[in-house]
Amino acid sequence: MEDGGKRRRRWVVLGAVLAGAVLISGIALWATDSSPFKDRYCWGAWEQDSGPRFLGDYVLRDSGSERTSAESGAPGSGGKTATCTVSVASSGSGGSSSQPDGSSAQPVGFHDRLTLTYGPVPEAPDERREWIDRYFSGSASPLPNGLDGLVANDRAMLILPEACDVAGRPSAVTLWGESWGDGPQGRRAMPLTIASLPDISTMLLDAADVGMRKAGCAPAKPLRITEPMVRVAEDGDAAETPVCRIPGVAFTLVEELRYEQRVGVVGDRLQTCSVVLRKLGSPDEPAAQFVMAGSPRTAAVFAGLPEGAGQGLVRTTCNGRNTVFYAHIGPGLGDGGGEKDRQVFDRFTDAVGKRVGCEPVKGTEGAAR
């Protein structure tokens, strides 16, 4: 029979072998950048190299580039908005280039930033309008499977179930991408494609599931997409009359300025179109926004805003649906809330209302915005 000393030595040897195997496995995982050594971002919603371009190694291909992340708050913390940013930046440390005169140009760096938010839509009317203009952009296509959300190359939005409402306001998860470069001519805004539309949709739903679980309002089954993601938004083109191809909607467009219209969703329950002013090297400046929203969760986003034709917001019932008509016209195209803005809004509601089988009720109160 084996004595105690021999048994102890056997256990020591076995333990050393197992420890070595674990160490070797860990080194192998680290060398291949495999889980559990991959970075996770935004309350654990996203993982490095999980598929989307922005989370992969390709965006780190330039010398001196790195990816960082930061969180502010957590979903469900007192009903406040939680924010997470993931940034990819390069200082341009790969060296400077030679110019024709023999001088050296400054190295060009870039900074891409993706901001994720979880929380209720803004309460203040001006902030709410800015939120609507950003995420109901005509550059965005609708999420499939009946989900109330929109996805574009550089932004995305999902309105969450009613159980997640805060103080009567719908909660939403949003993604917002920005990019700029620093070079000899200073800082200049650049277009950013976060990932493919299906990958952005997956990122959006993953963040929503994590956020709802942390906030304690997650549905029994996680939100998932099983239908194909179809791009319906058209490429932007020069704004023309009628604007957004909506009969009767027209502005005086200054030829020297580059106004671009983006026709998005044109359906029975949602229609979107945006007009932006494009300036080289600067972010697009919103100029006008038109939305018809006929699904309950989408219409809820507009609740609490001042109503009336003069405010650019009316509600009516179309085929039994509570439907919202919204327009926000900036001072560059409109007359600062005067009769011209009201006429444009009335023509918008008339044209779209007839298309979806209803005659919007025109309010008369309030000054146009």
Side-chain angles (χ1 to χ4, degrees):
M1 188 171 180
E2 199 172 41
D3 60 30
K6 289 184 178 180
R7 284 198 299 271
R8 283 194 296 272
R9 286 194 294 273
R10 286 179 180 271
W11 282 114
V12 169
V13 172
L14 179 60
V17 170
L18 290 174
V22 170
L23 178 61
I24 291 171
S25 298
I27 292 173
L29 287 169
W30 173 82
T32 58
D33 205 18
S34 302
S35 184
F37 295 102
K38 289 185 177 182
D39 291 333
R40 298 196 70 88
Y41 315 103
C42 300
W43 312 292
W46 303 330
E47 185 179 74
Q48 173 190 354
D49 269 342
S50 55
R53 175 181 177 275
F54 197 82
L55 303 177
D57 289 338
Y58 177 78
V59 297
L60 302 177
R61 65 192 182 282
D62 291 342
S63 175
S65 60
E66 64 174 346
R67 182 166 42 228
T68 59
S69 66
E71 298 172 3
S72 176
S77 300
K80 297 180 180 179
T81 297
T83 302
C84 174
T85 59
V86 181
S87 300
V88 177
S90 169
S91 62
S93 58
S96 58
S97 58
S98 178
Q99 300 298 295
D101 61 3
S103 63
S104 294
Q106 301 172 12
V108 177
F110 71 88
H111 193 132
D112 297 342
R113 181 170 63 199
L114 176 60
T115 302
L116 163 68
T117 67
Y118 177 103
V121 297
E123 182 175 13
D126 287 347
E127 294 179 9
R128 181 91 62 87
R129 291 186 184 96
E130 183 179 350
W131 190 96
I132 291 168
D133 294 353
R134 172 176 288 186
Y135 294 110
F136 281 83
S137 170
S139 64
S141 298
L143 287 168
N145 287 85
L147 296 171
D148 290 289
L150 293 162
V151 180
N153 290 339
D154 61 349
R155 71 195 73 190
M157 171 271 293
L158 173 67
I159 304 165
L160 301 179
E162 189 174 358
C164 300
D165 285 6
V166 175
R169 285 176 286 140
S171 290
V173 175
T174 66
L175 303 180
W176 174 249
E178 301 170 277
S179 180
W180 59 88
D182 293 307
Q185 298 180 354
R187 174 162 292 190
R188 302 175 72 87
M190 301 185 296
L192 173 66
T193 297
I194 300 169
S196 67
L197 293 193
D199 280 346
I200 298 173
S201 302
T202 298
M203 294 176 70
L204 185 68
L205 264 62
D206 287 346
D209 286 340
V210 168
M212 288 189 293
R213 288 200 302 271
K214 289 184 176 294
C217 63
K221 293 183 178 180
L223 302 179
R224 290 290 181 266
I225 292 177
T226 58
E227 301 171 2
M229 177 75 204
V230 179
R231 186 186 294 271
V232 302
E234 301 176 6
D235 293 335
D237 54 14
E240 55 188 18
T241 299
V243 172
C244 298
R245 297 197 295 275
I246 302 172
V249 175
F251 298 106
T252 301
L253 302 170
V254 179
E255 292 185 3
E256 291 76 17
L257 300 178
R258 187 181 175 188
Y259 284 104
E260 185 175 282
Q261 65 183 26
R262 296 168 180 172
V263 180
V265 184
V266 182
D268 292 338
R269 293 179 178 241
L270 183 65
Q271 180 166 338
T272 61
C273 188
S274 307
V275 181
V276 299
L277 176 60
R278 303 210 67 185
K279 296 180 180 179
L280 185 63
S282 299
D284 293 341
E285 181 179 319
Q289 180 70 32
F290 299 94
V291 180
M292 180 276 292
S295 69
R297 295 306 294 158
T298 305
V301 168
F302 300 83
L305 289 176
E307 296 187 18
Q311 297 285 357
L313 177 65
V314 296
R315 295 177 181 272
T316 189
T317 300
C318 301
N319 295 324
R321 299 190 304 270
N322 175 22
T323 302
V324 173
F325 292 83
Y326 167 91
H328 188 196
I329 303 169
L333 286 182
D335 59 0
E339 183 61 24
K340 179 180 177 181
D341 288 358
R342 185 189 296 269
Q343 289 177 358
V344 169
F345 180 74
D346 286 345
R347 291 166 183 164
F348 161 63
T349 57
D350 283 346
V352 177
K354 289 175 182 177
R355 184 183 67 78
V356 299
C358 60
E359 293 289 343
V361 177
K362 300 181 182 66
T364 58
E365 62 278 9
R369 297 298 301 263

